[in-house]
Amino acid sequence: MEPAKTILHHHKYSSIFLAIFLLFTSPFMSSANAKIHEHEFLVEATPVKRLCKTHNAITVNGQFPGPTLEINNGDTLVVKVTNKARYNVTIHWHGVRQMRTGWADGPEFVTQCPIRPGGSYTYRFTVQGQEGTLWWHAHSSWLRATVYGALIILPREGERYPFPKPKHETPILLGEWWDANPIDVVRQARRTGGAPNVSDAYTINGQPGDLYKCSTKDTSIVPIHAGETNLLRVINAALNQPLFFTVANHKLTVVGADASYLKPFTTKVLILGPGQTTDVLITGDQPPSRYYMAARAYQSAQNAAFDNTTTTAILEYKSLHHGNHSKHHHSKGVKNKTKPIMPPLPAYNDTNTVTTFSRSFRSPRKVEVPTEIDQSLFFTVGLGLNKCPKNFKANRCQGPNGTRFTASMNNVSFVLPNNVSILQAHYHGTPGVFTTDFPGKPPVKFDYTGNVSRSLWQPIPGTKAHKLKFGSRVEIVLQDTSIVTPENHPIHLHGYDFYIVAEGFGNFDPKKDRAKFNLVDPPLRNTVAVPVNGWAVIRFVADNPGAWLMHCHLDVHIGWGLATVLLVENGFGKLQSIEPPPVDLPLC
């Protein structure tokens, strides 16, 4: 089952209505040719065979990975999601700014109640000012193990890429596969308090590739012609693992990430945390043959089990068509007998390569980074251990030394509500659902990356949000901690892009480290990889009202509570306020 494009239905009248509406609401945008794309997503169990075994995987429209959606900057998406599966589901449009349309963002119990089995909900939102590669995925339990797909945003009609137009474009979705039901895997971990079982394979476009049993005949093939330059849109859709990605004997020129363009730079290897996307140009400048594309783990947590397998796809040179013979030659690749060339991959714990790569990111030109800061926040991120509750049997406390794993930000382990979403409670003023006392700095200062006193290993559970005034200029220092183990945490902020102005190792030191800030051309991202035993600093303007989840995109960590919600208040008037909830918003 290859990812397929869904059909676009353009309704003439609704497009005209939208164009007129946008003309009045966005005076600076020419929206005459903005389109509305309507899709239907049917979420249901589908037999999927991988690693010799068939599982009833939850998919969208029977496809794994799910459909690739392609739109232009300025277009509107209307996606009706019908849930025929036996689990609750929501869909998150990862990296979409969702200006005032928080109801369409998708994290369960944060912006909506989940779509119950048998129910449906229509997500409606406009993508403005973003171009490149994003993706969509389930945001409910571990369903995103199989419920995900690419979301490609092309330039406005008549506009071009800021780099030479590639001959072909290929989404490369890196995924993670369990030879089990992923929901059972996470439920078992919740019961035992231990770490969940690691995955059995990684995948490229849904296929594990040649190095796994029963996989060779379905290995993904990416065609290329000699001399042409193609665009690969690489997405890390894995649940719990940052991944290295490389192509044998070929250089990759990075031109974008998280739907923002970058100053191009060339590299042999990419590193993507779960949630991140990277757009790269690749040129067919090698002897025509077959070359492996390969991905495997970057593992920064010491002594933690991880899936150490390698997934591959094949970059296959196609012979160019000559005159009348084109139809005979066009589809023939290099003889399929050729064993593909395998690239070297960095060591699993190669943090140096990761650092060099992430420090190469720059915006293409000088950008407007907030320099005066209204709200300066400091968030510690990391794991923790809860003591075994008195009424629990030993088999429910299988974490280290008879504990249960947990995780936190600023010593608060986030607990989702279960009978109304935070955004609904915020919008309607419903008391008792969440509090707004999430601390702006750690309650206790300590040596974050040193030897941390055991008294700080157990966080406080709570549904705590942090309020931001509309229009405030925000800086957040994200500091890894060495509680249990230091680790590289991909931190994703919903509803926003942000500038990553600096990163480093050890404890953030405001006196020394501010001198290293890049306030000229830092990259714009929606997911920042906080370095292992280190820190990252992000800045943004809180110009999108709503309740926005900020969390670690390793799903095992969000389940343990490595999250908080930033509550951005309304500004003045309609255009600075969240839209009213849609009539079909699911009820809890």
Side-chain angles (χ1 to χ4, degrees):
M1 285 177 287
E2 289 302 299
K5 287 194 184 158
T6 39
I7 297 153
L8 306 183
H9 304 287
H10 297 307
H11 289 320
K12 199 166 86 188
Y13 299 108
S14 49
S15 287
I16 290 167
F17 172 76
L18 177 86
I20 291 166
F21 167 75
L22 282 173
L23 235 45
F24 286 110
T25 55
S26 352
F28 52 90
M29 298 272 187
S30 142
S31 305
N33 51 6
K35 295 188 184 70
I36 295 180
H37 303 257
E38 300 203 330
H39 297 281
E40 297 207 345
F41 275 12
L42 181 61
V43 179
E44 61 184 344
T46 308
V48 176
K49 188 175 184 180
R50 296 290 184 276
L51 309 181
C52 324
K53 251 179 43 212
T54 300
H55 291 278
N56 258 335
I58 307 301
T59 65
V60 169
N61 298 353
Q63 294 166 224
F64 171 66
T68 293
L69 305 185
E70 199 170 279
I71 65 169
N72 293 81
N73 181 356
D75 288 354
T76 295
L77 267 169
V78 179
V79 184
K80 183 182 180 185
V81 177
T82 302
N83 185 7
K84 287 277 166 63
R86 59 194 175 106
Y87 307 109
N88 293 338
V89 74
T90 64
I91 301 289
H92 169 51
W93 314 91
H94 185 111
V96 171
R97 288 279 334 251
Q98 295 293 2
M99 297 304 291
R100 304 174 49 239
T101 51
W103 307 107
D105 188 43
E108 108 179 306
F109 297 117
V110 178
T111 58
Q112 66 168 100
C113 293
I115 307 166
R116 303 287 180 192
S120 66
Y121 175 49
T122 301
Y123 293 90
R124 298 169 188 272
F125 55 92
T126 300
V127 176
Q128 281 286 19
Q130 295 183 281
E131 288 177 19
T133 306
L134 295 175
W135 62 301
W136 56 265
H137 61 80
H139 213 299
S140 178
S141 183
W142 273 21
L143 280 185
R144 84 173 176 87
T146 52
V147 178
Y148 62 85
L151 171 55
I152 294 168
I153 308 156
L154 301 170
R156 295 171 189 280
E157 275 183 20
E159 292 187 10
R160 290 205 286 268
Y161 295 132
F163 45 83
K165 187 172 165 32
K167 264 283 197 260
H168 295 286
E169 304 186 4
T170 311
I172 303 285
L173 290 129
L174 308 177
E176 204 169 0
W177 179 263
W178 275 261
D179 199 6
N181 175 350
I183 305 291
D184 292 345
V185 174
V186 68
R187 282 179 178 169
Q188 183 200 352
R190 210 165 284 145
R191 268 198 307 277
T192 66
N197 289 344
V198 300
S199 54
D200 297 284
Y202 300 110
T203 55
I204 297 178
N205 292 346
Q207 294 296 341
D210 290 2
L211 308 183
Y212 298 90
K213 56 185 184 183
C214 308
S215 301
T216 310
K217 70 174 204 316
D218 295 310
T219 296
S220 299
I221 307 266
V222 177
I224 192 166
H225 286 109
E228 73 185 15
T229 297
N230 293 347
L231 181 68
L232 304 180
R233 300 175 175 274
V234 188
I235 299 165
N236 185 353
L239 253 72
N240 295 320
Q241 198 63 57
L243 294 167
F244 291 115
F245 173 84
T246 187
V247 183
N249 296 11
H250 288 71
K251 288 201 204 63
L252 303 171
T253 301
V254 177
V255 292
D258 294 3
S260 289
Y261 294 118
L262 292 166
K263 192 168 284 174
F265 69 94
T266 299
T267 179
K268 277 283 199 339
V269 65
L270 310 179
I271 170 80
L272 297 95
Q276 293 185 320
T277 73
T278 307
D279 288 353
V280 296
L281 296 173
I282 184 170
T283 300
D285 56 6
Q286 294 301 303
S289 185
R290 304 167 85 222
Y291 298 88
Y292 275 130
M293 302 179 155
R296 79 171 185 194
Y298 164 50
Q299 179 66 2
S300 59
Q302 283 144 7
N303 305 326
F306 69 100
D307 176 350
N308 63 1
T309 62
T310 302
T311 178
T312 55
I314 297 169
L315 182 75
E316 186 172 88
Y317 279 70
K318 300 288 183 186
S319 43
L320 288 167
H321 20 223
H322 303 293
N324 302 333
H325 307 298
S326 66
K327 57 175 178 288
H328 304 298
H329 286 290
H330 191 56
S331 59
K332 269 204 197 102
V334 176
K335 287 191 195 63
N336 284 357
K337 305 283 177 284
T338 330
K339 186 159 174 33
I341 296 157
M342 187 70 191
L345 278 148
Y348 297 115
N349 62 353
D350 186 350
T351 294
N352 286 343
T353 292
V354 174
T355 307
T356 305
F357 180 71
S358 66
R359 288 186 180 169
S360 306
F361 279 54
R362 295 274 185 279
S363 281
R365 60 194 67 84
K366 190 177 182 332
V367 287
E368 293 292 311
V369 189
T371 47
E372 303 291 310
I373 297 298
D374 304 306
Q375 280 186 276
S376 187
L377 305 170
F378 188 107
F379 292 174
T380 57
V381 298
L383 303 184
L385 297 175
N386 282 332
K387 293 187 180 75
C388 195
K390 292 216 173 12
N391 55 340
F392 275 34
K393 291 196 171 85
N395 66 359
R396 298 208 55 198
C397 298
Q398 292 181 30
N401 304 327
T403 58
R404 291 177 60 83
F405 271 113
T406 180
S408 68
M409 292 175 82
N410 278 358
N411 207 41
V412 178
S413 189
F414 190 74
V415 180
L416 285 168
N418 57 11
N419 53 4
V420 63
S421 77
I422 290 172
L423 185 57
Q424 285 168 293
H426 171 60
Y427 186 87
H428 297 295
T430 314
V433 178
F434 65 90
T435 56
T436 55
D437 56 349
F438 182 85
K441 58 179 196 296
V444 180
K445 253 187 114 157
F446 57 96
D447 178 2
Y448 308 113
T449 54
N451 214 342
V452 184
S453 150
R454 284 286 165 133
S455 62
L456 293 164
W457 284 42
Q458 178 148 340
I460 294 146
T463 310
K464 294 175 187 284
H466 191 90
K467 269 194 167 157
L468 298 174
K469 283 212 159 9
F470 185 90
S472 61
R473 295 158 297 185
V474 184
E475 173 181 285
I476 305 178
V477 177
L478 294 160
Q479 172 73 60
D480 186 29
T481 66
S482 57
I483 297 173
V484 185
T485 174
E487 189 167 357
N488 181 297
H489 293 277
I491 302 292
H492 173 46
L493 174 57
H494 289 230
Y496 284 87
D497 285 329
F498 46 73
Y499 290 108
I500 305 175
V501 297
E503 57 171 60
F505 291 100
N507 297 335
F508 177 72
D509 178 341
K511 287 190 197 62
K512 285 207 320 261
D513 292 329
R514 289 196 177 278
K516 302 175 192 154
F517 284 15
N518 174 5
L519 301 177
V520 178
D521 59 355
L524 192 62
R525 304 289 310 252
N526 63 52
T527 304
V528 55
V530 178
V532 54
N533 249 329
W535 49 268
V537 182
I538 65 170
R539 289 187 177 184
F540 61 95
V541 177
D543 58 359
N544 190 11
W548 304 108
L549 186 63
M550 184 175 202
H551 67 97
C552 181
H553 219 278
L554 306 175
D555 272 28
V556 54
H557 292 179
I558 185 180
W560 288 341
L562 213 172
T564 187
V565 166
L566 299 182
L567 212 54
V568 181
E569 297 170 335
N570 284 339
F572 298 104
K574 199 174 153 187
L575 291 181
Q576 293 184 1
S577 303
I578 184 136
E579 291 180 1
V583 287
D584 65 337
L585 190 73
L587 300 169
C588 277

